[in-house]
């Protein structure tokens, strides 16, 4: 059955084409497996709470009649502003508009949120641009530039909120710098979610072609109920496609965890168990309570534009397993820098088991992609990453976690595969992890945190982070182990040292003894200089007879590292044991990336200087298996991967070209993405 919705209808009907519903929520209350909901253009100021699930054979489809013309928003327009003083206006808002959830009484909070940042979950928007919250009225009356913001010029547009208990009103003061808010489009967020089932298990739903924006979402750490503006809420088989997702206070799309009342932000609330231990508890409890491949995950997020969210574009823990995230444009995430903590990125996923992240464009994010814990069977392929390191001219050592990089892989045992990508930010890969293969990439940034960042923040006690690994291609836990480091492979990559920013070089010197990162800015495999070859590592076990042997560190020493077929330019440095490294000290390699209305063009002269026919085709057989999980670098169905296709899916030669672009003709310009 097909239901129709049109906000412009005179009055709500029965959902027939000639008598449409006025609200999407009316259709969501009655749509069942096999039904389709067609939504006419217009602004739908409502929370859509799908009541029923589809099935694998008969999905429930919610479709915008015209792409992105139907807008689901958590915001309301405010037109009762009165001038308070100068450019500052005051709006008095009756609290009845908020129902049970008032975003201007609710602070952003949760595990791994940096608590000295004071922020409400509500937002104020001027012509679709989010103003900056202040902590006092004085800061609104006399605003100062917020130096950490990526958009300093707009950071003087500030707002402040307080409650009038006598009148039961929310008061919002805002500085509009000469604009009359009653004549502009000024909105405030009033709803927590936009399209999100309140119940678990509402699976097999398609959301297609909508603009979804402006929700007062809460911080979404892995040890809490993870919410977003859009999300499947602990179910299976959603498709979110062709949508614009923007201006969530915290997260745009959540593929995340359900609520465990006994273990929800437990670290913050009780403080007695470390966050790492509560996360382990979360994972084990989820397995007991039905976290399986048959019930959870297998979602698809495709062809969406996701931007201007405060915490993440896509967030997930446990609930995103076996998913595909493809062909999305993810940009300008956390640029206001008004939220801070260890859960920020274009995508931030824990337990991305067998998740494929391909053909996406990540840029201008406070880190592009963060894979934390259990990146087992995860493949990151054919993506474009650039401008994901802070653009500031300086940053204090205390803020090193907010430097940002293209990809951060943390305390996972792998196998994690990074292939055929362009990694163009100052920092390419942050690698406090093991079990990673990096194949056929163009890498213009450095590797950081190699051999670091895997312990908890103790002073005198040993506190290694033990993280789980799983039955291959399943959720069931096989065991827990700390990170030994190493177990990494680098094949057929192009490394190009870009110009080093002076303040990053200074930060590297300041961080040389830091636990969490070395802030290294030298491009190349050199951070793995001291790691053993496979032969050196195996030699520790020669003559070893097992039980009864003398005590040894052999089980806890770093694991071997492999590298072959890589090319290094502009001063990029290979590790010493990389015997066949091609190091060009003669030529100057240049590269640039430009965006002309969605046409992304990459230019480089590197293909003039690469050696021809010098490297071999890489495959699952070459890469072997990750040490701890004993799982091969293979497809989710267990089949072999042969790296015989490039970034575009074009066939490679038998002796392929290094990097993501198979180019034997010396081509200098490539259109990577064309909207």
């Amino acid at each position: 059955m097909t239901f129709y919705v049109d906000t412009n209808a005179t009055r709500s009907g029965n959902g027939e084409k000639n008598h449409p519903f006025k609200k999407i929520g009316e259709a969501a209350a009655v749509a069942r497996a096999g039904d389709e909901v067609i939504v006419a253009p217009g602004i739908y100021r409502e929370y859509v709470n799908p009541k029923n699930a589809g099935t694998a054979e008969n999905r429930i489809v919610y479709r915008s009649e015209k792409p992105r013309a139907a807008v689901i928003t958590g915001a309301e327009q405010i037109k009762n502003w009165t001038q308070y003083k100068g450019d500052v206006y005051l709006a008095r808002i009756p609290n009845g508009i908020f129902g049970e959830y008032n975003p201007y009484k609710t602070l952003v909070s949760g595990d791994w949120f940096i608590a000295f940042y004071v922020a409400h979950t509500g937002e104020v928007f001027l012509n679709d641009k989010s103003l900056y919250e202040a902590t006092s009225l004085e800061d609104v009356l006399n605003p100062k530039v917020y130096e950490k913001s990526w958009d300093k010029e707009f950071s003087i547009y500030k707002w402040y909120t307080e409650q009038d208990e006598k009148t039961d009103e929310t008061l919002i003061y805002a500085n509009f710098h000469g604009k009359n808010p009653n004549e502009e489009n000024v909105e405030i967020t009033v709803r927590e979610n936009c399209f999100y089932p309140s119940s678990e298990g509402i699976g097999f739903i398609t959301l297609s072609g909508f603009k979804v924006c402006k929700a007062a979402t809460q911080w979404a750490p892995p040890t809490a109920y993870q919410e977003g503006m859009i999300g499947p809420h602990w179910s299976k088989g959603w498709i979110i496609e062709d949508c614009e997702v923007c201006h969530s206070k915290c997260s745009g799309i959540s593929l995340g965890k359900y609520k465990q009342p006994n273990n929800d932000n437990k670290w913050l609330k009780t403080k007695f168990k470390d966050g790492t231990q509560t996360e382990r508890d979360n994972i084990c409890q989820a397995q007991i309570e039905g976290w399986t491949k048959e019930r959870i995950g297998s979602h698809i997020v495709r062809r969406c534009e996701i931007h201007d969210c405060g915490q993440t574009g896509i967030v997930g823990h446990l609930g995103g397993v076996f998913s595909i995230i493809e062909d999305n444009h993810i940009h300008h995430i956390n640029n206001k820098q008004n939220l801070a903590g260890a859960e920020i990125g274009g995508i931030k996923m824990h337990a991305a088991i067998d998740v494929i992240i391909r053909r996406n464009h990540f840029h201008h994010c406070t880190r592009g992609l963060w894979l934390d814990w259990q990146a087992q069977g995860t493949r990151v392929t054919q993506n474009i990453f650039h401008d994901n390191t802070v653009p500031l001219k300086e940053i204090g050592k205390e803020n090193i976690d907010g430097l940002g990089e293209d990809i951060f892989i943390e305390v996972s045992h792998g196998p994690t595969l990074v292939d055929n990508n362009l990694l163009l930010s100052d920092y390419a890969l942050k690698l406090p992890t093991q079990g990673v293969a990096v194949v056929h990439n163009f890498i213009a940034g450095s590797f950081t945190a190699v051999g670091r960042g895997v312990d908890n923040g103790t002073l005198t006690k040993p506190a290694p982070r033990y993280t789980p690994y799983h039955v291959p291609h399943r959720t069931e836990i096989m065991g827990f182990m700390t990170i030994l480091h190493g177990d990494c492979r680098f094949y057929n990559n192009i490394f190009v040292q870009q110009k080093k920013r002076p303040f990053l070089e200074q930060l590297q010197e300041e961080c040389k003894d830091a636990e969490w990162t070395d802030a290294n800015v030298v491009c190349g495999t050199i951070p793995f200089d001291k790691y053993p070859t496979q032969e050196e590592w195996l030699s520790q076990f020669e003559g070893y007879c097992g039980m009864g042997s003398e005590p040894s560190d052999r089980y806890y020493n770093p694991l071997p590292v492999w590298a072959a077929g890589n090319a290094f330019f502009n001063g990029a440095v290979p590790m010493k044991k990389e015997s066949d490294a091609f190091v060009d000290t003669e030529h100057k390699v240049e590269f640039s990336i430009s965006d002309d209305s969605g046409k992304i063009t990459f230019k480089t002269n590197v293909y003039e200087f690469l050696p021809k026919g010098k490297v071999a085709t890489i495959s699952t057989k070459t890469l072997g298996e990750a040490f701890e999980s004993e799982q091969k670098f293979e497809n989710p169905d267990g089949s072999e991967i042969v790296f015989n296709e490039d970034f575009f899916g074009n066939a490679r030669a038998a002796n392929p070209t290094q990097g993501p672009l198979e180019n034997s003709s010396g081509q200098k310009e490539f259109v990577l993405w064309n909207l």
Side-chain angles (χ1 to χ4, degrees):
M1 186 171 183
T2 301
F3 295 101
Y4 294 88
V5 182
D6 189 346
T7 189
N8 298 306
T10 303
R11 64 178 63 183
S12 192
N14 60 5
E16 294 179 354
K17 190 168 187 177
N18 294 329
H19 302 282
F21 295 126
K22 279 185 72 70
K23 291 186 174 293
I24 304 169
E26 295 176 271
V30 297
R32 297 185 179 275
D35 290 344
E36 185 172 22
V37 178
I38 305 296
V39 182
I43 298 176
Y44 296 82
R45 299 184 185 276
E46 58 175 306
Y47 160 49
V48 182
N49 180 13
K51 295 294 185 183
N52 301 306
T55 66
E57 296 77 23
N58 293 288
R59 312 179 64 79
I60 301 177
V61 177
Y62 294 81
R63 190 181 309 281
S64 175
E65 186 178 44
K66 293 183 179 180
R68 301 189 186 182
V71 180
I72 307 173
T73 178
E76 295 288 344
Q77 276 191 322
I78 301 298
K79 291 292 186 183
N80 67 334
W81 296 93
T82 58
Q83 192 169 20
Y84 176 73
K85 189 180 293 185
D87 290 335
V88 176
Y89 285 74
L90 168 65
R92 305 182 70 94
I93 301 155
N95 283 336
I97 194 175
F98 302 114
E100 296 180 357
Y101 177 77
N102 185 336
Y104 305 92
K105 291 182 178 181
T106 307
L107 291 176
V108 176
S109 67
D111 289 349
W112 287 282
F113 177 70
I114 294 181
F116 59 75
Y117 280 78
V118 177
H120 290 86
T121 58
E123 293 263 52
V124 179
F125 293 89
L126 170 63
N127 298 327
D128 293 321
K129 198 160 184 177
S130 172
L131 277 66
Y132 289 65
E133 184 175 4
T135 55
S136 71
L137 180 55
E138 174 61 26
D139 288 342
V140 178
L141 291 166
N142 297 290
K144 296 179 181 178
V145 169
Y146 183 46
E147 293 296 336
K148 290 185 179 181
S149 172
W150 291 30
D151 183 6
K152 292 185 179 63
E153 184 177 344
F154 195 76
S155 69
I156 59 173
Y157 286 76
K158 296 185 187 291
W159 64 275
Y160 168 73
T161 187
E162 59 187 19
Q163 294 293 312
D164 188 331
E165 303 293 345
K166 291 182 179 179
T167 62
D168 192 26
E169 290 177 314
T170 291
L171 276 57
I172 296 178
Y173 301 85
N175 193 326
F176 295 103
H177 291 277
K179 294 182 173 62
N180 184 338
N182 296 311
E183 297 175 357
E184 307 289 338
N185 179 24
V186 177
E187 299 172 287
I188 66 168
T189 48
V190 301
R191 287 173 285 279
E192 193 167 7
N193 314 108
C194 289
F195 192 97
Y196 201 97
S198 60
S199 300
E200 299 168 19
I202 309 298
F204 298 104
I205 283 176
T206 296
L207 184 72
S208 183
F210 290 85
K211 179 177 180 178
V212 184
C213 61
K214 302 186 180 93
T217 51
Q218 183 56 277
W219 187 253
T223 50
Y225 165 55
Q226 286 185 310
E227 65 172 16
M229 287 196 300
I230 305 169
H233 193 181
W234 204 245
S235 66
K236 185 172 181 178
W238 273 45
I239 298 174
I240 302 167
E241 63 182 14
D242 301 308
C243 292
E244 181 181 1
V245 181
C246 58
H247 295 113
S248 173
K249 179 68 178 196
C250 290
S251 295
I253 297 172
S254 172
L255 306 179
K257 196 178 72 64
Y258 68 113
K259 186 170 184 176
Q260 298 172 340
N262 63 307
N263 203 12
D264 190 63
N265 283 315
K266 193 173 183 178
W267 187 23
L268 173 70
K269 292 174 181 176
T270 68
K271 302 177 176 60
F272 302 127
K273 279 189 175 181
D274 181 83
T276 298
Q277 181 62 18
T278 62
E279 187 166 342
R280 285 189 288 256
D281 290 350
N282 268 254
I283 295 164
C284 292
Q285 181 176 337
Q287 181 166 304
I288 293 167
E289 294 177 349
W291 178 47
T292 65
K293 188 173 186 176
E294 289 70 32
R295 295 185 63 246
I296 303 299
S298 297
H299 307 298
I300 299 173
V301 181
R302 62 191 178 201
R303 300 188 303 271
C304 294
E305 181 181 6
I306 306 168
H307 63 97
D308 290 288
C309 297
Q311 178 190 340
T312 63
I314 301 174
V315 73
H317 183 212
L318 308 178
V321 290
F322 316 113
S323 294
I324 298 173
I325 301 172
E326 61 184 4
D327 301 307
N328 301 288
H329 183 196
I330 303 171
H331 61 100
H332 294 91
I333 302 297
N334 189 239
N335 284 186
K336 289 175 69 177
Q337 294 277 296
N338 62 329
L339 302 180
E343 304 300 325
I344 283 170
I347 296 176
K348 173 65 194 286
M349 289 195 75
H350 288 74
I353 297 173
D354 279 2
V355 171
I356 298 173
I357 300 169
R358 65 188 177 201
R359 302 190 305 265
N360 302 284
H361 181 195
F362 296 82
H363 65 97
H364 294 92
C365 301
T366 303
R367 64 179 39 98
L369 169 64
W370 189 348
L371 300 170
D372 204 350
W373 294 44
Q374 304 144 278
Q376 183 169 332
T378 311
R379 186 176 184 185
V380 182
T381 182
Q382 300 169 295
N383 301 281
I384 310 164
F385 294 87
H386 62 92
D387 293 288
N388 296 310
T389 302
V390 293
L392 308 179
K393 293 182 179 179
E394 60 182 28
I395 188 168
K397 182 180 176 182
E398 68 278 8
N399 296 311
I400 55 175
D401 190 53
L403 283 171
E405 58 282 313
D406 288 329
I407 304 174
F408 183 4
I409 306 170
E410 185 174 10
V411 291
S412 175
H413 301 285
T416 309
L417 177 57
V418 179
D419 70 280
N420 287 300
N421 303 283
L422 289 92
L423 308 171
L424 307 181
S425 299
D426 297 85
Y427 297 121
L429 283 162
K430 190 172 184 178
L431 293 172
T433 193
Q434 64 187 54
V436 178
V438 181
V439 182
H440 275 294
N441 300 280
F442 186 106
I443 301 172
S446 59
F447 296 161
T448 67
V450 172
R452 307 190 188 201
V454 302
D455 293 339
N456 284 311
T458 54
L459 291 175
T460 62
K461 304 291 185 182
R465 283 193 284 174
Y466 283 79
T467 60
Y469 53 96
H470 300 261
V471 175
H473 312 299
R474 300 285 306 178
T475 59
E476 290 80 3
I477 297 169
M478 279 289 289
F480 289 82
M481 185 55 185
T482 187
I483 301 301
L484 302 177
H485 301 289
D487 193 26
C488 292
R489 300 128 176 93
F490 303 95
Y491 289 104
N492 296 1
N493 300 286
I494 298 172
F495 292 91
V496 178
Q497 177 73 60
Q498 60 182 297
K499 185 177 180 180
K500 302 170 188 174
R501 285 193 268 164
F503 94 88
L504 295 181
E505 291 186 281
Q506 178 183 342
L507 193 64
Q508 179 179 349
E509 176 63 24
E510 293 175 0
C511 292
K512 62 184 179 183
D513 297 319
E515 165 57 29
W516 292 100
T517 186
D518 54 0
N520 168 55
V521 291
V522 180
C523 182
T525 54
I526 187 173
F528 291 91
D529 232 3
K530 296 180 181 179
Y531 283 77
T533 64
Q534 185 177 30
E535 292 74 19
E536 290 169 335
W537 181 77
L538 287 171
S539 68
Q540 301 174 94
F541 299 90
E542 290 177 2
Y544 173 57
C545 59
M547 187 174 178
S549 296
E550 289 296 318
S552 169
D553 291 334
R554 62 174 67 89
Y555 291 115
Y556 296 92
N557 283 332
L559 299 165
V561 172
W562 294 261
N566 300 301
F568 300 82
F569 298 91
N570 294 6
V573 184
M575 61 184 189
K576 293 176 183 176
K577 297 172 184 177
E578 194 168 345
S579 59
D580 72 340
F582 175 78
V583 181
D584 187 322
T585 59
E586 180 183 354
H587 302 102
K588 173 69 173 177
V589 166
E590 298 175 346
F591 69 90
S592 65
I593 192 159
S594 61
D595 183 351
D596 182 10
S597 301
K599 181 181 178 182
I600 310 302
T601 302
F602 177 64
K603 296 179 181 179
T604 182
N605 61 347
V606 72
Y607 291 99
E608 295 180 32
F609 315 127
L610 281 173
K612 302 293 191 295
K614 297 293 186 181
V615 302
T617 298
I618 306 301
S619 67
T620 294
K621 183 178 179 180
T622 315
L623 300 178
E625 62 182 33
F627 174 78
E628 203 67 60
S629 63
E630 299 180 7
Q631 179 179 326
K632 295 179 180 178
F633 291 84
E634 60 191 9
N635 287 309
D637 63 2
S639 62
E640 180 184 30
I641 299 174
V642 178
F643 296 90
N644 55 9
E645 293 183 353
D646 74 350
F647 175 91
F648 295 109
N650 297 326
R652 291 188 178 275
N655 291 107
T657 305
Q658 289 117 319
L661 306 165
E662 185 66 15
N663 177 22
S664 59
S665 63
Q667 184 177 341
K668 293 185 177 182
E669 185 171 323
F670 306 84
V671 176
L672 304 177
W673 181 293
N674 197 344
L675 295 179

